[in-house]
Amino acid sequence: PIQGAAITVQHRIEGNTTGFGVPDTTDAEGRLVLGNLPPESEISVTFVRNSFLTVSSSPLVGHPGDVFPEETVVMYQAANVAATLLGPDAKPLANQQINVVATYADDRRINATGTTDANGVLALVAALPATDVTLEFSTSLGGERQSRLSGSSETVLQADGPNNIGTLAMTGSVP
């Protein structure tokens, strides 16, 4: 259980999204009970806590008198990741925007974006979950003749480690 996770509640009526009620926090058991929600609107709850990834509940739509089932929302500790990315020519992908998709063991996904340094090193700080993940890296190169490079790595990210996954050779063609 994560005590003290800050929550915000959003409700959506006819395409307009607004906040609702007073922000709150989870109790010692990591629980939160909400009441008096606006009827006929889509409700979602967002949970935020330092050193954890922000997560939102599944959207729910209720009618007067409805009681929603209990939902378990999993918050993962945030992990730092570093990797050196090389192009198909074995040269570092310097100063290149990289898209990263982390796929959890249960097939959930989270996206992150970063830029490599002059040596092709990508460093993402507190952007990915500390758990078993498959990381997929991708980028586009070139002007008019863009090509796409990609690479992947299966790893276990730790919350308290640098998680340097080493050198990854991206595949694809360079224009």
Side-chain angles (χ1 to χ4, degrees), residues 41-67:
S41 64
E42 182 180 282
I43 304 292
S44 64
V45 181
T46 301
F47 300 84
V48 179
R49 183 130 195 292
N50 286 344
S51 76
F52 285 82
L53 295 178
T54 298
V55 66
S56 293
S57 67
S58 301
L60 298 168
V61 176
H63 305 284
D66 283 354
V67 175

Side-chain angles (χ1 to χ4, degrees), residues 83-108:
T84 301
L85 303 178
L86 305 177
D89 57 1
K91 293 181 181 175
L93 290 174
N95 306 311
Q96 186 68 37
Q97 183 172 334
I98 305 294
N99 300 311
V100 181
V101 177
T103 304
Y104 302 67
D106 63 1
D107 289 330
R108 284 186 297 149

Side-chain angles (χ1 to χ4, degrees), residues 85 87 92-99 113-123 138-142 146-149 170:
L85 303 178
L93 290 174
N95 306 311
Q96 186 68 37
Q97 183 172 334
I98 305 294
N99 300 311
T113 302
T115 302
T116 57
D117 66 13
N119 299 312
V121 175
L122 174 68
S138 64
T139 189
S140 296
L141 297 177
Q146 284 201 351
S147 67
R148 189 148 179 86
L149 300 179
M170 307 282 277

